[in-house]
Amino acid sequence: MLRSATLTAGHSLELLEGGAQFFPALIAAMDGAAREVRLETYIFDFDPQGIAVAQALERAAGRGVAVFVVVDGVGTPRVPQEWQQRWAQSGVRWQQFQPLGQWGLLMPGQWRRMHRKLCVVDGEWAFCGGINVLDDWLDSRHGPLSAARLDYAVKVRGPLVEQCLQAMQQFWARAQVARQLEHLQWREVRSQWPQWRSLPSSGKPLQALAAQTDAATGAADSHAALVLRDNVRNRSRIERSYLKAIGEARHEVVLANAYFLPGGRLRRALMHAARRGVRVQVVVQGRYEYFMQYHASRPVLGELVRAGVEIYEYTPGFLHAKVAVVDGVWATVGSSNLDPLSLLLAREANVVVYDAAFAQRLQAALLTVISGSTRRWDIAADARRPWHQRVRDRLAFGLMRFLIFFSGIRY
């Protein structure tokens, strides 16, 4: 039984495939907002697509909607001066999470990033997934792309929206207090402290959320949960949700993950599933993007293939998805990669769904990708690669393991 005790009923769910579906839905929700818009994103790129989102935020604030935006200091190192001024004039409030200081990422404390992609509109609708505010057809390092970036998001209405809202409110307040402390603004901290302390730590009780009945959404069988990862109380919730679902799989696991370097527990779960007869299909990045993620993952992929896991490399463009389907009923869509950065260091957000219609739509999309846009991993062909490429694999894998050891966290 894959249904978790944390899942609540009464959700309306819409799968959004890529920016072509995500951005029109996001902008339409912002343009319909009457009270509040909250947005968190790792990357906010002011390309034409990002400007369209920035304008929607500006329009919302201009008509009196409370607008809050959080971007990450690595993913979004700067907001253009023009947009800082426009947002200030319209009333958009924004923060940059942990801007890079003088030493940048050389300081281990700066490795803990805000990688969530969340939006809540009027406390009614939530968006969650892997899609940054970034044009699918552009890349900051590679320029125009020959194929759109492959990614997914989900639009949700139902009880988990309140959990999402409260998590975002709390994160905003904590980031604001942290910045005030950094600048020794003690008077501002004292004035904010009562409001910050009054925020709930983990949203409404599950019983209260479940009591928001199916009549609100007309989706009695759509169970869902917001699953967060942070460095305080939710260090392993996303990983545990994967482990539980894979451990209980009986027929098939279909998984797509951009930066796929699972730790020992997840690797064993996938291999055990394959050995007990579950068909396990994993879609990974087929195009070289980052040295560490590309080379360090290859020894792990070989280990999984030898255990019976099917590995497929996505080749037309860049894979950015972080999704999975188990037995056609359980699914997850979110921001978390299955690698050390996401599972040990970053703030992440996934939506976990128990709903056959939603899961099967996502599974159909993934199977279409596998059949038409991937090449299957071949151990023999991998072994025939030039020796220097295989040496790079081992060096990258060893360096990744050293960094994990250095962090003091078991993975």
Side-chain angles (χ1 to χ4, degrees):
M1 184 66 168
L2 290 169
R3 192 184 304 224
S4 166
T6 63
L7 295 168
T8 56
H11 290 88
S12 169
L13 304 161
E14 181 182 355
L15 179 68
L16 302 172
E17 300 184 42
Q21 294 183 6
F22 173 71
F23 289 114
L26 181 72
I27 291 171
M30 291 177 176
D31 282 339
R35 299 184 304 278
E36 182 181 76
V37 174
R38 288 183 179 268
L39 174 70
E40 294 176 0
T41 182
Y42 180 69
I43 297 174
F44 200 127
D45 197 335
F46 288 80
D47 56 27
Q49 184 62 78
I51 288 174
V53 176
Q55 290 170 337
L57 294 166
E58 181 183 43
R59 289 194 296 270
R63 62 178 184 269
V65 174
V67 178
F68 303 86
V69 178
V70 182
V71 299
D72 183 78
V74 170
T76 310
R78 60 179 296 272
V79 171
Q81 190 65 35
E82 175 193 355
W83 277 101
Q84 292 187 41
Q85 295 171 354
R86 289 179 63 164
W87 279 353
Q89 291 169 0
S90 64
V92 174
R93 283 167 277 187
W94 68 279
Q95 296 189 57
Q96 187 183 53
F97 177 73
Q98 288 195 185
L100 286 181
Q102 179 180 359
W103 298 99
L105 292 175
L106 294 175
M107 301 297 292
Q110 291 282 21
W111 299 351
R112 301 180 184 275
R113 307 314 310 175
M114 196 287 296
H115 196 243
R116 304 192 311 204
K117 291 89 178 174
L118 289 172
C119 182
V120 171
V121 177
D122 284 346
E124 296 289 334
W125 292 99
F127 295 81
C128 179
I131 303 176
N132 289 290
V133 181
L134 173 69
D135 194 308
D136 278 351
W137 292 88
L138 294 174
D139 186 90
S140 60
R141 297 173 308 281
H142 301 274
L145 303 177
S146 58
R149 196 176 287 103
L150 180 64
D151 211 342
Y152 300 92
V154 59
K155 180 182 177 183
V156 186
R157 186 179 185 184
L160 76 78
V161 176
E162 179 69 19
Q163 291 178 305
C164 188
L165 175 61
Q166 292 178 356
M168 297 176 81
Q169 288 173 333
Q170 186 180 71
F171 183 55
W172 175 273
R174 286 179 171 173
Q176 196 170 35
V177 169
R179 189 177 69 252
Q180 290 165 350
L181 287 172
E182 183 179 348
H183 292 90
L184 304 179
Q185 297 170 335
W186 305 110
R187 183 176 301 174
E188 289 81 356
V189 171
R190 284 196 296 272
S191 67
Q192 294 275 343
W193 187 255
Q195 179 184 358
W196 180 78
R197 287 294 302 272
S198 68
L199 288 171
S201 61
S202 58
K204 289 183 179 179
L206 290 172
Q207 294 87 347
L209 292 171
Q212 299 179 25
T213 62
D214 307 334
T217 62
D221 295 326
S222 296
H223 290 71
L226 176 69
V227 185
L228 301 175
R229 205 222 77 88
D230 57 40
N231 297 298
V232 185
R233 300 180 62 183
N234 302 304
R235 291 176 179 268
S236 60
R237 286 188 65 206
I238 290 178
E239 183 179 22
R240 289 203 311 268
S241 71
Y242 271 97
L243 290 171
K244 178 177 174 59
I246 295 168
E248 296 182 0
R250 293 293 174 265
H251 306 292
E252 57 190 342
V253 174
V254 186
L255 187 156
N257 208 264
Y259 308 124
F260 183 73
L261 184 57
R265 287 167 296 199
L266 269 172
R267 291 203 303 273
R268 288 190 293 272
L270 291 166
M271 293 189 292
H272 289 165
R275 287 166 179 161
R276 65 175 184 267
V278 176
R279 187 178 187 186
V280 181
Q281 299 171 278
V282 179
V283 184
V284 300
Q285 186 76 264
R287 291 184 61 179
Y288 186 98
E289 189 171 8
Y290 297 107
F291 174 85
M292 288 291 289
Q293 286 90 335
Y294 183 83
H295 285 287
S297 66
R298 298 186 79 86
V300 172
L301 298 181
E303 179 185 9
L304 292 172
V305 170
R306 285 187 288 273
V309 175
E310 301 172 26
I311 301 292
Y312 297 90
E313 294 182 294
Y314 180 73
T315 56
F318 289 122
L319 171 71
H320 198 255
K322 306 99 167 53
V323 298
V325 180
V326 176
D327 287 349
V329 293
W330 181 97
T332 187
V333 179
S335 66
S336 182
N337 292 297
L338 298 181
D339 75 341
L341 293 177
S342 280
L343 295 180
L344 299 179
L345 296 170
R347 291 177 178 270
E348 304 283 3
N350 279 29
V351 168
V352 170
V353 174
Y354 186 90
D355 177 77
F358 181 89
Q360 288 168 21
R361 182 183 168 190
L362 176 57
Q363 180 169 323
L366 293 175
L367 293 179
T368 298
V369 168
I370 289 173
S371 64
S373 302
T374 68
R375 60 171 177 258
R376 187 164 177 175
W377 178 280
D378 186 321
I379 286 185
D382 186 65
R384 291 195 297 269
R385 289 183 304 136
W387 66 268
H388 55 85
Q389 292 185 13
R390 287 178 278 123
V391 168
R392 288 177 193 160
D393 297 346
R394 290 295 171 183
L395 287 174
F397 183 70
L399 179 58
M400 184 69 77
R401 292 193 61 171
F402 172 77
L403 292 174
I404 294 169
F405 175 80
F406 179 73
S407 73
I409 305 172
R410 184 185 174 196
Y411 186 59

